[in-house]
DNA sequence: TGGAGGATGTAGCCAAGGCTACATTTGAGA
DNA sequence: TCTCAAATGTAGCCTTGGCTACATCCTCCA
């Protein structure tokens, strides 16, 4: 029935959906992003804890995330295995260069997503909540579009006095 | 003119982060959303397959998602257990009323997210890809904001004689 | 200085969502 | 009708990310 060639005979585009081949790629891409969400949340949080309190301890991470400390310790072990974090038994958790790079990028992206949602009129509470999930799936191109929109809205706001 | 929120100076605690208690809630909320992403993807896809081809078969779902058929069959079993689909051995997969409800809602949300990304200038390829991940984390309030923005931009475009 | 209590680590459980390999069923065409 | 390829199902493995329960370590202060 379906040949590899796919020359013509465009199969039903169904309300603007991407072609099947492209859709597979999109799903794959999203699954990949889902696997890195947790890591991004952790390094971002660890960076915040270090910046504000000087060090990141497992118990603080657990409290901020709302999970058990055992979960945190196991996850931190995986992050260390993956080279994002360094820690020694009974000691605080530190970021590697790679981990810090990801943390900085994640934080910038996170803050821009929040700023964007606020700019288009989303309430503060919902903006924070939605950004937590959305941020991990925003590509550089979309992020740039967000930034443009924020600039436009702020520009128009200051132009109208106030 | 695009609606704007946040005219006043916000309390800038630690780079605009929410209070710890609220942050815990946001993380919890996001984890909850992550658990339903797969189910939403499946029912949305099953609805598309039924609408376009008359029935949804496991092999088609597997091809569209880019996963093995064994994974699909196991997941469909979970969806049936959870009351979203109905199927019998060696037969096609159908949606329950609940499943159809979720599928319709997911599709509308998905399409609006795509339309929104296109409206703010994201390329078609990236819009499709990012929407696949973003859609599951967009609350009703944010979705409403997206809709407003789409209306604004399209209104401005047609007003300027295009 | 010696506990006590908090922080950390370990063990073991669970479900989800992937996979491969193999078994069974279906159904279309010769 | 009968066969065989494709579809479906089953078994068993893996990793992740949750949890509880219990063990060990550290540190501060009485």
């Amino acid at each position: 029935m379906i040949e590899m060639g796919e020359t013509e005979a465009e199969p039903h585009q169904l309300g603007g959906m991407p072609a099947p081949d492209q859709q597979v790629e999109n799903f794959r891409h999203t699954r990949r992003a889902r696997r890195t969400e947790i890591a991004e949340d952790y390094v971002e949080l660890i960076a915040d804890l270090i910046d504000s309190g000087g060090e990141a301890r497992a118990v603080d991470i657990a409290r901020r995330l709302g999970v058990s400390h055992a979960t945190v310790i196991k996850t931190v072990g995986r992050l260390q295995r993956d080279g994002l974090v360094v820690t020694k038994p009974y000691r605080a958790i530190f970021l590697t260069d790679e981990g810090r790079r990801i943390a900085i990028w994640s934080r910038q992206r996170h803050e821009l997503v929040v700023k964007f949602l606020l700019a288009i009129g989303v309430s503060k509470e919902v903006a924070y909540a939605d950004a937590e999930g959305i941020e991990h799936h925003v590509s550089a191109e979309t992020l740039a579009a967000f930034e443009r929109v924020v600039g436009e809205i702020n520009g128009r706001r200051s132009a109208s006095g106030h």
Side-chain angles (χ1 to χ4, degrees), chain A residues 48-147:
Chain A
D48 286 339
L49 289 169
I50 289 174
D51 288 354
S52 67
E55 61 175 16
R57 316 273 341 189
V59 67
D60 298 318
I61 298 173
R63 276 200 272 261
R64 291 283 203 107
L65 292 179
V67 301
S68 75
H69 84 276
T71 295
V72 169
I73 284 168
K74 215 196 289 190
T75 304
V76 167
R78 277 192 287 267
L79 296 180
Q80 185 159 28
R81 179 200 62 190
D82 297 342
L84 302 184
V85 133
V86 173
T87 182
K88 282 193 285 193
Y90 299 99
R91 295 290 169 229
I93 299 150
F94 300 96
L95 294 171
T96 62
D97 288 348
E98 171 73 355
R100 191 170 302 107
R101 200 183 56 72
I102 294 175
I104 290 171
W105 162 248
S106 293
R107 181 169 7 187
Q108 285 176 346
R109 191 184 52 184
H110 186 129
E111 286 174 1
L112 181 50
V113 170
V114 169
K115 224 177 353 176
F116 169 77
L117 291 175
L118 293 174
I120 64 171
V122 176
S123 72
K124 198 184 292 185
E125 295 72 28
V126 174
Y128 284 141
D130 283 15
E132 205 60 71
I134 290 175
E135 57 171 331
H136 306 286
H137 300 277
V138 174
S139 65
E141 182 182 330
T142 296
L143 206 61
F146 282 9
E147 191 142 39

Side-chain angles (χ1 to χ4, degrees), chain A residues 17 111 152:
Chain A
M17 283 182 63
E111 286 174 1
E152 277 183 41

